[in-house]
Amino acid sequence: MDVESDFLSYLEAEQRCSPHTVEAYGRDVSRFIEWITPVGQQFDPHSVTMSDIRAWIASLADQGMAATTLRRKTQSLRAFFRWGMKQGLFSANPAADVSLAKKRKHLPDFVRTDEIESLLNDSHPHTPAEYRAHLAVTILYSLGLRQAELLSLTDFDVDLSALELRVNGKRNKQRVIPIPRQLAQEIAEWQKMRDLRYPDLPFPRPIMAGPHGAISKETLYQIVKDQLKTTGVAKKSPHTLRHTFATVMVNSGADLDAVREMLGHASLSTTQIYTHLSFKDLLQNYRKSHPRSSRSDNSDQDPIVDDKTNF
């Protein structure tokens, strides 16, 4: 019995995890099994202890691995051993009580509105590759899609007459989001270019198409990085454009629950990070613009209210 393959099949078929999650969890489990199993011997899940998992996570932390990645690796092993117990393969879950690495709290990067609008308005693509790059950035910024969601889009998911887009999100949860009319026209124009350039594409044809099907996530990342090179944002990635979409929506007064629906967040608390972005932007503008803000905003001064005071 190949426990790794069976575990991945369970994630895909029963848990309905995204291909990205299945790939990541499978890689994590494989790396742990390689690390814990002596050369020339078979993996013995019954011999794994909580100390073993802690030691593996600690070794990765010593190599400088990010806390978010360490957390996922712990969660991967929790899921793996939990599945094994349900199947009667393992007697315990040694990862169950391993503490998750603490994430550093930080606000997501986003492109300034004037920069992204200028970039898209001043873009005049001539070749199909340039047009595809322009369309990728436009869709990510206009609709807030995840990288995997954009890459999985096909002609069947786009209803240009109704101005609607059907998106397959995490755990295969579907949502329908509106398409601006101009974006719908750009998608239709690209479909004509794509069909002339790649006439042998299989159906349903992907929106972000290359010669053999949908482009890879590495290609998409490079496209976005190249397109955002003139902007001041530090991280030039597809996910940065998703953050940009959400930040623009919240700063413009959109209902938070509506933003949650468009982003496909399961919980409103995930979306609420963008209210902090909005306040940060407001505070920066206040400090730059109001003559009295600089007088009162001096971090070296004593606090006005002692933190022991109760109201």
Side-chain angles (χ1 to χ4, degrees), residues 46-120:
H46 300 283
S47 67
V48 178
T49 67
M50 182 169 63
S51 297
D52 292 329
I53 296 175
R54 283 176 172 169
W56 183 57
I57 296 297
S59 70
L60 297 175
D62 289 342
Q63 297 171 27
M65 187 168 286
T68 51
T69 307
L70 296 175
R71 290 171 66 90
R72 192 202 67 223
K73 289 184 180 298
T74 305
Q75 291 165 334
S76 299
L77 293 182
R78 283 182 181 176
F80 174 65
F81 282 101
R82 184 167 58 244
W83 164 80
M85 289 179 66
K86 289 181 179 179
Q87 300 299 312
L89 303 175
F90 313 147
S91 57
N93 186 345
D97 294 324
V98 176
S99 299
L100 296 176
K102 292 185 178 180
K103 294 190 294 186
R104 290 180 58 190
K105 293 184 178 181
H106 65 280
L107 297 177
D109 284 339
F110 60 94
V111 186
R112 284 172 38 193
T113 307
D114 58 337
E115 287 186 325
I116 188 66
E117 288 291 338
S118 177
L119 185 152
L120 294 176

Side-chain angles (χ1 to χ4, degrees), residues 239-268:
H239 213 69
T240 296
L241 290 172
R242 178 171 161 86
H243 292 319
T244 303
F245 162 83
T247 303
V248 168
M249 291 286 288
V250 172
N251 284 350
S252 300
D255 178 78
L256 205 60
D257 199 52
V259 178
R260 180 190 67 81
E261 286 286 341
M262 290 197 70
L263 290 171
H265 285 161
S267 169
L268 189 63

Side-chain angles (χ1 to χ4, degrees), residues 137-298:
V137 172
T138 303
I139 291 176
L140 290 168
Y141 165 59
S142 301
L143 306 180
L145 302 189
R146 298 179 177 94
Q147 169 182 272
E149 292 170 348
L150 174 58
L151 293 177
S152 67
L153 279 183
T154 70
D155 290 347
F156 287 173
D157 300 317
V158 183
D159 188 337
L160 297 180
S161 59
L163 299 179
E164 291 180 350
L165 195 74
R166 186 175 66 249
V167 180
N168 289 308
K170 287 186 173 182
R171 297 187 181 276
N172 288 328
K173 291 182 179 178
Q174 288 195 344
R175 65 187 189 277
V176 177
I177 55 180
I179 314 173
R181 187 171 299 276
Q182 180 179 343
L183 177 55
Q185 292 170 349
E186 291 179 5
I187 292 174
E189 187 64 28
W190 162 245
Q191 287 172 322
K192 295 176 185 176
M193 290 187 194
R194 175 203 62 191
D195 293 347
L196 287 173
R197 187 174 178 84
Y198 308 122
D200 298 325
L201 281 174
F203 289 92
R205 292 178 172 173
I207 298 299
M208 287 292 109
H212 307 295
I215 60 175
S216 67
K217 61 183 180 182
E218 291 79 14
T219 299
L220 178 61
Y221 187 94
Q222 191 60 50
I223 284 173
V224 173
K225 184 178 180 181
D226 291 341
Q227 290 291 300
L228 297 183
K229 64 184 177 183
T230 59
T231 67
V233 68
K235 188 173 184 180
K236 298 171 173 58
S237 71
H239 213 69
T240 296
L241 290 172
R242 178 171 161 86
H243 292 319
T244 303
F245 162 83
T247 303
V248 168
M249 291 286 288
V250 172
N251 284 350
S252 300
D255 178 78
L256 205 60
D257 199 52
V259 178
R260 180 190 67 81
E261 286 286 341
M262 290 197 70
L263 290 171
H265 285 161
S267 169
L268 189 63
S269 61
T270 308
T271 316
Q272 285 174 334
I273 181 65
Y274 298 106
T275 63
H276 300 303
L277 287 172
S278 179
F279 179 77
K280 181 182 179 184
D281 190 54
L282 177 68
L283 183 60
Q284 288 177 341
N285 277 277
Y286 175 65
R287 287 173 173 170
K288 290 179 182 178
S289 306
H290 200 285
R292 288 190 170 261
S293 65
S294 59
R295 298 184 188 182
S296 59
D297 184 33
N298 188 337

Side-chain angles (χ1 to χ4, degrees), residues 13-52:
E14 296 188 35
Q15 293 298 303
R16 302 176 67 186
C17 294
S18 70
H20 176 76
T21 299
V22 173
E23 178 189 355
Y25 274 40
R27 186 171 58 248
D28 294 342
V29 171
S30 293
R31 297 282 168 78
F32 174 73
I33 290 176
E34 290 174 7
W35 181 84
I36 195 70
T37 307
V39 177
Q41 295 186 25
Q42 293 290 326
F43 170 59
D44 179 12
H46 300 283
S47 67
V48 178
T49 67
M50 182 169 63
S51 297
D52 292 329

